Structures are given as structure tokens and as C-alpha cells.
């Protein structure tokens, strides 16, 4: 199963919107075939593993990192493929929460007399598909906020300038997080101050994530670099046809999702991204957008790069949030990973 999960990781940047799945077929103590799911529309992991195993699949055990599918989608049902190949035993790491599967694959296999078990390395399997699971169970993507800050927690000067607080190695590492995401989200403030492209450039990947700009007043200029090459969604809070037309002329799509305060309804935006089958959203915004996301309970994970420098009290912090009356109101995190990246410290943490 560990090998199946390793194979699933080969689809880290490409399998979306499908889950990342790996499969290993074992017969008489030896690997007979293995495979993984590369991209939507391509054969699933089980089908690739069965093709590699050939006749050796009959009577073998299939280790698969997610319950085999039972529905006809872009490809045929994997449970039927396993049955047809004569697999005798199936070990799954995790039940698929997709309502189209949801235990049906395991039930079909059992109904054909196949020995089935589920739960081996379940936690690791959840991590592999944390965004897909979020979309299926919460109807919104997994939201990861990336921050580059000084040691005193400042992400930009008072005037908004932030290039560059962290070193080249940290910036390069950040592209791996972009590459695995389905969308990279920022706010108009960041577009105005940094004029970023927010594309994946430091990692070899056949696809670019959707770029999303939260821009309540449609202030993103048609000359902004983020609009280059298309693949951009602008979330606004007002209907201004001239500005919308100017953005659409640059290849962007505009959705208008206002809340009662005249800002973009962030809940509605993430529901829309889930409707578009986006599993993971990588946020690279300013302290106001970060604060809004956190205040509304929409942040799942932080990836923080801390540079060995001090900027000072007048600079911008990580999150724009109201003052706390006491420490009981602070948000607690669990640190999941801590590493040196060049001269900077990378902290990966989740809210508890």
C-alpha cells in the first residue's frame, strides 16, 4: 500500500479534478503490475496496473489507495475491471466519499466473492487526496494560504511592497505548492502592488492552475500581468459592464458574487470553485484578504516561510483581524511540518 500511495503521488500535479490514486497488484509475494492515475480521461490506476499484470492478475491481490469506482464516468468502472481480470483480493486504503461511489465499489467486489478490506494506511491516503475529500464532503475546496514573512511576522511594508522578503529557494519551493493546486487565488491589492503572474514556473507541469482574483470593484486593469495567457477568473461584487467587457476582452471570466456588505461573498466563491471541480486552492494574497478568509473560517492550512530578518512594527502583518480582548480568542494551530528551505524556515500548520 505504501508503494500504491507513492505511485498516486505521481499524479500530484496532473490528476485533478480526479483523486490521485495508485494501484499495486501482487501475486505469490511478487509485484505483478502497478499503475497510477495521471489525468482526467486517462485510464485509472487499477486499469493501468491490470494492463501491466496481464494474465498474472488472475488470483492476485490488488492494493489500491482509494476505493475502486463503480460508476461510468470519463472511463469505465474500475470495480468491474478488477472482477473481469479475476482478482481474488482487494485491499483499499480509503473509502471514496464521492456519492457516485461511497462504498458501492467495495460492495460490488464483495458481491462477486472477492475478499475485500479497507483502511490500510488510511491517514496517508486522506492526505494524498485532502482536496478531493474536502470537495466531496464539504462542497468546497481545501484552502491553503501561503505566506512569506519576516521573523517578526510582516509580509509587506506599510506601502504594500513585499518583493522579496524570503530567498530564492523559498520562492522556488512555493511553486511546488502552486503546481499541486487547482487554483491560485489572490486579491486586487496584491495585483496592484506586485503585478504578479501567479503561474507555475519553477516546476515542470503540463497544466497551469486557474488564477482567481478577488476584486470587489473590478479595479484590475487590462494590462495586469495576471491576465496574460488566459485561465483567469475575476470574482467581483458589482455589475459594471464596461469593466467586465474589458476583462473579458483579455480572456478573463468574471463572476459577480456580492455579499450584504458589498464585498465578494467568499463562501459563494468557494462553492463556485467546488462546482467547477477544483479540489485545492492556494492563496497568495495580502493581509486583508488573508484576514477575511480566516475570519470567515475558510482557511484550512498555512504554509509560512519565515525569513531571518526584522522589518518593524509599522509594516503589514499576516492577517488583518479585529483586536482581541484576551488570549482566549486566539486561533490555535498544529504544526505538521518544519523545515529549512535555503536560509528561510518553512512552517506547515493547520487550524485545530
Amino acid at each position: 500500500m505504501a508503494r500504491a500511495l507513492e505511485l498516486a503521488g505521481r499524479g500530484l500535479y496532473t490528476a485533478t479534478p480526479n483523486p490521485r490514486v495508485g494501484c499495486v497488484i501482487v501475486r505469490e509475494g511478487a509485484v505483478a503490475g502497478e499503475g497510477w492515475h495521471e489525468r482526467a480521461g486517462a485510464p485509472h490506476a487499477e486499469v493501468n496496473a491490470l494492463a501491466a499484470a496481464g494474465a498474472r492478475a488472475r488470483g492476485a491481490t490488488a492494493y489500491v489507495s482509494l476505493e475502486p469506482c463503480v460508476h461510468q464516468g470519463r472511463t469505465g468502472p474500475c470495480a468491474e475491471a478488477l472482477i473481469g481480470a479475476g482478482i481474488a483480493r482487494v485491499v483499499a486504503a480509503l473509502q471514496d466519499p464521492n456519492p457516485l461511489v461511497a462504498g458501492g465499489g467495495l460492495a460490488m467486489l464483495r458481491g462477486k466473492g472477492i475478499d475485500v478490506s479497507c483502511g490500510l494506511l488510511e491517514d496517508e491516503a486522506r492526505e494524498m487526496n485532502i482536496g478531493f475529500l474536502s470537495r466531496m464532503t464539504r462542497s468546497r475546496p481545501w484552502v491553503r494560504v501561503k505566506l512569506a514573512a519576516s521573523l517578526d511576522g510582516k509580509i509587506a511594508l506599510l506601502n504594500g511592497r513585499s518583493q522579496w522578503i524570503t530567498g530564492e529557494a523559498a520562492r522556488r519551493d512555493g511553486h511546488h505548492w502552486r503546481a499541486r493546486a487547482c487554483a491560485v487565488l489572490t486579491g486586487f491589492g496584491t495585483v496592484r502592488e506586485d503585478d504578479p503572474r501567479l503561474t507555475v514556473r519553477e516546476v515542470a507541469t503540463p497544466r497551469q492552475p486557474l488564477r482567481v482574483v478577488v476584486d470587489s470593484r473590478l479595479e484590475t486593469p487590462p494590462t495586469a500581468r495576471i491576465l496574460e495567457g488566459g485561465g483567469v477568473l475575476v470574482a467581483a461584487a458589482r455589475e459594471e459592464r464596461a469593466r467586465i467587457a474589458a476583462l473579458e476582452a483579455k480572456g478573463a471570466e468574471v463572476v459577480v458574487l456580492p455579499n450584504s456588505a458589498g464585498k465578494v461573498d467568499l463562501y459563494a466563491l468557494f462553492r463556485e470553485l467546488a462546482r467547477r471541480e477544483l479540489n485545492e486552492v492556494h492563496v497568495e494574497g495580502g493581509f486583508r484578504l488573508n484576514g477575511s478568509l480566516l475570519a470567515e473560517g475558510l482557511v484550512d492550512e498555512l504554509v509560512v516561510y519565515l525569513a531571518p530578518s526584522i522589518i518593524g512594527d509599522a509594516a503589514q502583518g499576516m492577517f488583518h483581524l479585529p483586536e482581541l480582548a484576551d488570549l482566549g480568542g486566539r486561533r490555535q494551530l498544529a504544526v505538521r511540518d518544519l523545515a529549512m528551505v535555503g536560509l528561510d524556515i518553512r512552517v506547515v500548520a493547520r487550524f485545530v
Side-chain angles (χ1 to χ4, degrees):
M1 187 62 78
R3 174 60 177 167
L5 286 163
E6 181 183 344
L7 291 167
R10 296 187 183 183
L12 188 66
Y13 303 153
T14 60
T16 183
N18 291 349
R20 303 151 182 152
V21 183
C23 179
V24 177
I25 295 175
V26 176
R27 181 172 178 177
E28 297 177 351
V31 172
E34 57 183 31
W36 69 93
H37 181 53
E38 182 180 351
R39 65 184 184 279
H44 287 189
E46 298 94 322
V47 173
N48 286 329
L50 289 171
R56 293 176 296 172
R58 187 160 298 277
T61 297
Y63 293 85
V64 59
S65 61
L66 187 68
E67 176 186 3
C69 64
V70 72
H71 63 292
Q72 177 70 47
R74 297 179 180 94
T75 59
C78 291
E80 289 184 2
L82 292 167
I83 293 166
I87 289 289
R89 180 176 176 235
V90 172
V91 181
L94 180 68
Q95 182 173 306
D96 190 343
N98 185 341
L100 297 175
V101 184
L106 301 179
M108 176 183 283
L109 294 168
R110 289 190 180 103
K112 294 296 183 179
I114 294 173
D115 181 12
V116 174
S117 61
C118 185
L120 180 62
L121 298 186
E122 181 175 352
D123 290 343
E124 291 85 347
R126 287 185 180 280
E127 285 300 311
M128 180 60 64
N129 284 303
I130 197 162
F132 177 79
L133 297 177
S134 175
R135 179 165 67 86
M136 288 296 154
T137 60
R138 303 189 300 176
S139 298
R140 73 167 179 84
W142 181 262
V143 179
R144 182 180 293 114
V145 173
K146 176 255 186 181
L147 298 152
S150 60
L151 204 57
D152 56 340
K154 305 301 181 181
I155 65 170
L157 301 178
L158 187 60
N159 62 13
R161 301 286 174 82
S162 62
Q163 298 178 338
W164 300 102
I165 291 176
T166 53
E168 184 178 345
R171 297 197 297 275
R172 186 165 53 248
D173 187 72
H175 280 250
H176 289 271
W177 296 96
R178 282 186 190 176
R180 68 172 287 166
C182 306
V184 179
L185 183 144
T186 194
F188 166 69
T190 299
V191 172
R192 179 188 59 218
E193 299 299 338
D194 296 341
D195 195 21
R197 285 176 285 176
L198 292 184
T199 53
V200 178
R201 300 183 297 280
E202 299 290 342
V203 176
T205 176
R207 95 183 152 84
Q208 288 289 338
L210 175 71
R211 289 169 290 171
V212 182
V213 181
V214 178
D215 182 4
S216 294
R217 296 184 290 185
L218 290 166
E219 296 175 285
T220 300
T223 56
R225 293 202 301 170
I226 199 169
L227 299 176
E228 295 173 2
V232 177
L233 179 70
V234 178
R238 59 177 68 175
E239 284 271 4
E240 292 195 17
R241 293 311 311 169
R243 292 187 178 186
I244 290 174
L247 292 171
E248 290 176 341
K250 294 291 293 185
E253 181 184 356
V254 179
V255 292
V256 180
L257 301 168
N259 64 14
S260 59
K263 302 290 186 181
V264 172
D265 186 328
L266 296 173
Y267 278 102
L269 174 58
F270 285 123
R271 285 196 300 270
E272 173 62 19
L273 296 181
R275 188 189 67 80
R276 294 171 183 240
E277 298 187 309
L278 304 185
N279 296 330
E280 296 183 18
V281 173
H282 176 84
V283 179
E284 294 193 28
F287 75 127
R288 294 188 185 279
L289 177 59
N290 295 342
S292 295
L293 291 169
L294 183 57
E296 296 194 33
L298 292 170
V299 180
D300 297 305
E301 186 170 50
L302 302 180
V303 177
V304 184
Y305 298 90
L306 291 172
S309 62
I310 301 294
I311 294 180
D313 186 57
Q316 295 179 7
M318 297 182 186
F319 299 95
H320 180 65
L321 293 167
E323 181 181 359
L324 294 179
D326 60 73
L327 288 175
R330 60 185 169 172
R331 296 291 304 275
Q332 293 292 134
L333 294 130
V335 175
R336 298 183 61 85
D337 185 65
L338 189 65
M340 293 297 301
V341 180
L343 298 177
D344 304 314
I345 301 169
R346 186 188 67 199
V347 182
V348 180
R350 292 183 187 166
F351 290 96
V352 295

